[in-house]
Amino acid sequence: MAKLTSPIPWKKKQSKKEASSQLLSNQLLRAFFHNTTDAISFSDMDNNLILVNQAFEHYYGWTHEEMKETPFCFIPTEFIRETQQLFDAARTMGIHLTNYETIRQRKDGTILDVNLTIAPVCDENGTVIGSSCIARDISDRKRAEEALRKSETKYRLLIDHTQDVVTIYNTSMERIYISPSVEEHLGYSAEEFHPPSRLQLIHPEDLPILHAYHQKILATKQHVQFETRSLNKDGSSVTFETRGIPILNERGQVENIMFVSRNVMERKSSEAALLKSEGINRIIAEYTDDLIMITNAAGDVIYISPSHERVIGRDKPMSQVTLDDVHPDDRHLVIKHFQHLILSQKPGTCEFRFQCANGKWIVLESKGVPIMTKQGECDGFIVVSRDITERRHNEELLRKAEKLSLIGELAAGIAHEIRNPLTSLKGFIQLLSPTLQDNKLYADIMLSELERINFIVSELLVLSKPQNLQIKSLSLVVLLQNVLALLASEANLKNIRFQTSFGKCPNIAGEENQLKQVFINVIKNSIEAISGNGEIRISTRMLPNRQVLVRLADNGCGVSEEYIAKLGEPFFTTKEKGTGLGLMISSKIIKDHNGSFQITSKKNKGTVVKITLPIAEDQIGSS
């Protein structure tokens, strides 16, 4: 058997040209053999390593001399027999093996993945005298492939188990993949979508949208986002929010397109419910008479309801919360309330007086509520205020009614107890009067005072029990003329003039004596308020609400503003000898007649009393 001594066959007789060419070829072969990064080895027919290059020693860490002694030192034990069979096949059958992947072991124990190319080596006569092996380290590639395989497995698991519906299309818009999650959202299994032409995922009406974004991805290679509908197995429509993602190949061209679709039906329902709720809340905010104001944490107004213009006449939105329109006496209460609101971050209520754009003062009941974020921080405040002026007025009227009722009960007892001895005193004085000729003046004074006491008792009795009103049709003008005639002499003594302006008006419904008492009380108060050379103006006017207005105005001393609210209260009077019952009784009589009684006055300028009375039923429609 011929021995393999060199991988390059040499001829004995050569020309110079052939020798020179052969020399150059040998040099090139030697340079390639020793400088290539692949591990190259030659072995004889007995598997003895005859020649190895530097890369071979570098790959495995053993020298050529060490490998001569232990030829299989770089082959793991479990791969020795496999290696022998490969080389035997090359030597005995002349088989060329390429890209055969196997395992090798370095001297330090490190395992390498290698790719082997094995070929038989022949002599000049074509006889196989050994074999060559080129080994290439593919450990990095193997690790990359394993990482890729794991990554593909991981992402496959992610796609297969995601709640979103994942579909992949090729550039021709043919579907090549759909995730199993489609069954959860549409009722179809993923198998029912194969082949791709069997079922259409996108609602037919939305197919143009999908095709448009498909073309956009191909043109721009950018992500896109849009909404489309799909048909459920039960025929209902399901809305998806879809993100289109281009999948590029190594040349940067779009190879496939992946669409990730998320079911947004729940979100759509929530948005619709929220929109409806916001619409309802906006309607409430815009049409309620409550004053709604929303501020941020710094106190800047970010919303103010239209009711502010209707209730307080503010036609321009506020930019900052101020206390300019709050009554000076109530400002400290408002400040204290909001300080407590900020510190405690709990709702609170405060009442204060507020000045409208027209200068009128109203009473507001305000409830402040902090707006809290999820992190527990105060993001602003909602302040809801309500005009409770009328409620407070009604409560005051109720208190007065209760007080009047209590006074009535007290008056009934007092009147009963006084009248009995009063009758006796009056009778005995009248009986003794003829015998008191020398002191007749004193007797007359006593009788006059007793009459006054009797008058006061009579007024108390008006308060003590409901009066049986004999309501009938009366001529208001005639009634007023009779009262003025009765009081003319008293007015003349003080040089006071009556000026009347009685327009044509229908009869009123009322009880004559009680209404006379009211007008007598009012006009006598005016006479007593005028020091002299004054005038009292009495006028009547029809009102559109089936009532007649009687206006009585004087230029007397008037009443200061602080006392106006107290007029009509029991035993409150500004007159030196007054009882305070006249106006109270007059107000009660007018109220019993379903009318109204209003007093306005200014100090040293005079007083105006406005009385309204209903028109008699048989006069409705006349003028």
Side-chain angles (χ1 to χ4, degrees):
M1 180 181 292
K3 296 292 185 179
L4 179 65
T5 57
S6 172
I8 305 173
W10 304 97
K11 291 183 180 180
K12 294 182 179 180
K13 293 183 179 181
Q14 295 175 323
S15 65
K16 285 185 178 181
K17 186 176 180 179
E18 289 175 340
S20 175
S21 176
Q22 187 66 46
L23 179 62
L24 178 61
S25 177
N26 287 345
Q27 288 174 345
L28 291 173
L29 289 173
R30 285 179 182 275
F32 170 76
F33 179 77
H34 287 295
N35 295 316
T36 182
T37 57
D38 293 335
I40 303 175
S41 65
F42 294 96
S43 58
D44 59 17
M45 297 298 287
D46 297 325
N47 265 337
N48 295 313
L49 286 173
I50 302 303
L51 186 65
V52 298
N53 66 351
Q54 295 175 359
F56 194 97
E57 292 181 343
H58 176 73
Y59 264 32
Y60 302 120
W62 277 284
T63 64
H64 185 203
E65 297 300 324
E66 289 174 327
M67 287 186 280
K68 281 183 179 179
E69 297 178 4
T70 54
F72 302 111
C73 60
F74 60 93
I75 303 174
T77 304
E78 63 271 23
F79 291 99
I80 292 178
R81 182 168 178 78
E82 174 192 81
T83 303
Q84 289 175 335
Q85 290 175 347
L86 295 175
F87 280 92
D88 286 345
R91 287 191 293 263
T92 59
M93 294 181 284
I95 296 175
H96 289 250
L97 264 68
T98 59
N99 296 325
Y100 185 83
E101 294 183 3
T102 186
I103 302 297
R104 291 294 180 259
Q105 183 174 358
R106 290 175 54 86
K107 187 176 182 179
D108 61 6
T110 306
I111 299 297
L112 300 175
D113 290 290
V114 295
N115 181 302
L116 302 181
T117 300
I118 303 173
V121 177
C122 301
D123 61 10
E124 294 177 352
N125 302 319
T127 303
V128 177
I129 59 175
S131 60
S132 67
C133 179
I134 301 175
R136 178 168 293 172
D137 184 3
I138 59 171
S139 298
D140 290 341
R141 194 195 80 191
K142 282 289 186 180
R143 283 193 291 270
E145 288 177 352
E146 179 63 20
L148 180 61
R149 185 187 65 78
K150 289 181 178 179
S151 176
E152 287 179 346
T153 302
K154 178 176 68 176
Y155 285 110
R156 169 70 66 171
L157 287 172
L158 178 63
I159 290 175
D160 286 348
H161 293 87
T162 182
Q163 294 296 309
D164 297 337
V165 177
V166 180
T167 52
I168 300 177
Y169 292 80
N170 61 20
T171 53
S172 300
M173 210 53 195
E174 295 175 344
R175 189 175 62 244
I176 59 178
Y177 173 81
I178 188 167
S179 62
S181 57
V182 70
E183 184 171 4
E184 179 182 345
H185 298 285
L186 300 179
Y188 295 103
S189 65
E191 289 74 19
E192 291 181 271
F193 280 94
H194 295 290
S197 59
R198 183 178 179 186
L199 283 173
Q200 182 57 254
L201 178 67
I202 305 300
H203 194 290
E205 295 177 3
D206 291 349
L207 278 174
I209 299 175
L210 181 67
H211 288 298
Y213 280 103
H214 167 254
Q215 293 300 319
K216 185 175 181 180
I217 293 173
L218 291 178
T220 64
K221 301 177 183 178
Q222 299 294 321
H223 295 192
V224 297
Q225 189 164 330
F226 55 95
E227 282 190 6
T228 55
R229 294 168 296 165
S230 296
L231 287 175
N232 198 302
K233 197 170 186 177
D234 62 9
S236 61
S237 178
V238 180
T239 303
F240 286 94
E241 185 180 74
T242 300
R243 187 175 178 83
I245 304 164
I247 301 174
L248 307 179
N249 58 21
E250 295 176 353
R251 298 184 300 277
Q253 298 173 336
V254 178
E255 190 172 68
N256 294 302
I257 300 174
M258 180 170 67
F259 292 103
V260 181
S261 302
R262 175 162 296 178
N263 190 332
V264 293
M265 290 300 292
E266 185 175 346
R267 192 193 75 193
K268 288 287 184 182
S269 298
S270 299
E271 288 175 354
L274 179 60
L275 189 62
K276 182 178 179 181
S277 176
E278 286 180 347
I280 293 172
N281 290 338
R282 183 165 293 279
I283 290 173
I284 293 173
E286 289 182 356
Y287 291 97
T288 182
D289 283 337
D290 289 345
L291 310 177
I292 301 173
M293 180 173 62
I294 302 176
T295 74
N296 59 19
D300 299 320
V301 178
I302 58 179
Y303 174 78
I304 183 169
S305 64
S307 53
H308 281 75
E309 183 176 354
R310 295 195 302 270
V311 177
I312 64 177
R314 190 182 302 281
D315 56 353
K316 294 182 180 180
M318 293 183 293
S319 60
Q320 188 79 20
V321 177
T322 65
L323 299 176
D324 295 342
D325 297 319
V326 177
H327 196 285
D329 294 343
D330 296 343
R331 287 175 186 172
H332 70 286
L333 294 175
V334 177
I335 294 171
K336 183 178 179 181
H337 164 68
F338 279 102
Q339 285 177 342
H340 180 266
L341 180 66
I342 294 170
L343 294 175
S344 67
Q345 295 184 351
K346 294 181 180 179
T349 304
C350 176
E351 285 187 17
F352 56 92
R353 285 165 289 178
F354 190 89
Q355 190 172 33
C356 299
N358 60 5
K360 178 184 175 183
W361 288 97
I362 61 174
V363 181
L364 292 181
E365 181 183 68
S366 291
K367 185 172 184 179
V369 180
I371 303 171
M372 308 302 294
T373 64
K374 292 182 179 179
Q375 292 74 30
E377 298 177 352
C378 181
D379 193 38
F381 300 93
I382 297 177
V383 181
V384 181
S385 303
R386 177 170 295 178
D387 181 3
I388 61 169
T389 308
E390 186 176 352
R391 190 175 82 190
R392 288 288 174 262
H393 177 67
N394 291 336
E395 290 174 355
E396 182 64 25
L397 290 178
L398 181 61
R399 283 194 294 270
K400 286 184 177 180
E402 291 175 350
K403 187 186 295 185
L404 191 61
S405 176
L406 181 62
I407 291 172
E409 294 178 7
L410 181 63
I414 294 173
H416 178 71
E417 294 298 326
I418 291 176
R419 271 197 165 177
N420 290 333
L422 191 62
T423 302
S424 301
L425 288 173
K426 185 178 178 181
F428 284 124
I429 291 175
Q430 288 175 338
L431 182 63
L432 294 173
S433 180
T435 64
L436 299 174
Q437 293 299 325
D438 296 336
N439 297 301
K440 189 175 188 313
L441 175 63
Y442 301 119
D444 291 340
I445 293 173
M446 291 173 66
L447 285 172
S448 175
E449 291 302 313
L450 287 174
E451 285 296 334
R452 176 173 169 74
I453 294 173
N454 189 51
F455 174 76
I456 294 173
V457 170
S458 298
E459 287 191 327
L460 288 174
L461 286 175
V462 172
L463 299 174
S464 67
K465 61 182 179 180
Q467 302 297 304
N468 294 322
L469 299 179
Q470 300 297 322
I471 300 296
K472 60 182 180 179
S473 179
L474 300 173
S475 173
L476 179 61
V477 174
V478 172
L479 187 146
L480 289 171
Q481 288 174 341
N482 291 338
V483 171
L484 294 177
L486 180 65
L487 298 174
S489 58
E490 186 174 350
N492 290 333
L493 290 176
K494 299 185 69 174
N495 199 20
I496 297 173
R497 301 180 304 280
F498 290 143
Q499 288 194 1
T500 61
S501 176
F502 298 147
K504 187 177 180 181
C505 63
N507 290 354
I508 61 169
E511 207 282 327
E512 184 176 3
N513 291 329
Q514 289 199 0
L515 291 179
K516 281 185 178 180
Q517 182 180 354
V518 170
F519 291 120
I520 289 171
N521 285 341
V522 172
I523 295 173
K524 283 189 66 176
N525 284 341
S526 295
I527 292 173
E528 292 171 2
I530 298 173
S531 57
N533 296 322
E535 68 175 12
I536 300 173
R537 298 180 298 280
I538 305 98
S539 63
T540 62
R541 180 166 59 90
M542 280 291 299
L543 296 178
N545 57 352
R546 297 181 179 179
Q547 288 193 328
V548 177
L549 170 66
V550 181
R551 186 176 184 274
L552 301 102
D554 65 60
N555 59 353
C557 62
V559 181
S560 61
E561 186 177 350
E562 59 181 310
Y563 292 144
I564 286 290
K566 295 184 179 181
L567 291 177
E569 290 188 0
F571 307 113
F572 174 81
T573 181
T574 58
K575 295 186 292 185
E576 187 176 341
K577 295 184 178 181
T579 62
L581 296 175
L583 286 179
M584 183 179 67
I585 292 170
S586 297
S587 177
K588 183 177 184 301
I589 290 172
I590 297 299
K591 183 178 179 182
D592 291 340
H593 279 74
N594 296 320
S596 65
F597 190 94
Q598 180 184 1
I599 301 175
T600 57
S601 183
K602 288 187 178 181
K603 188 70 173 176
N604 299 322
K605 290 187 177 181
T607 301
V608 176
V609 178
K610 293 180 180 180
I611 298 172
T612 63
L613 291 167
I615 298 173
E617 289 294 328
D618 60 349
Q619 295 290 306
I620 293 176
S622 61
S623 59

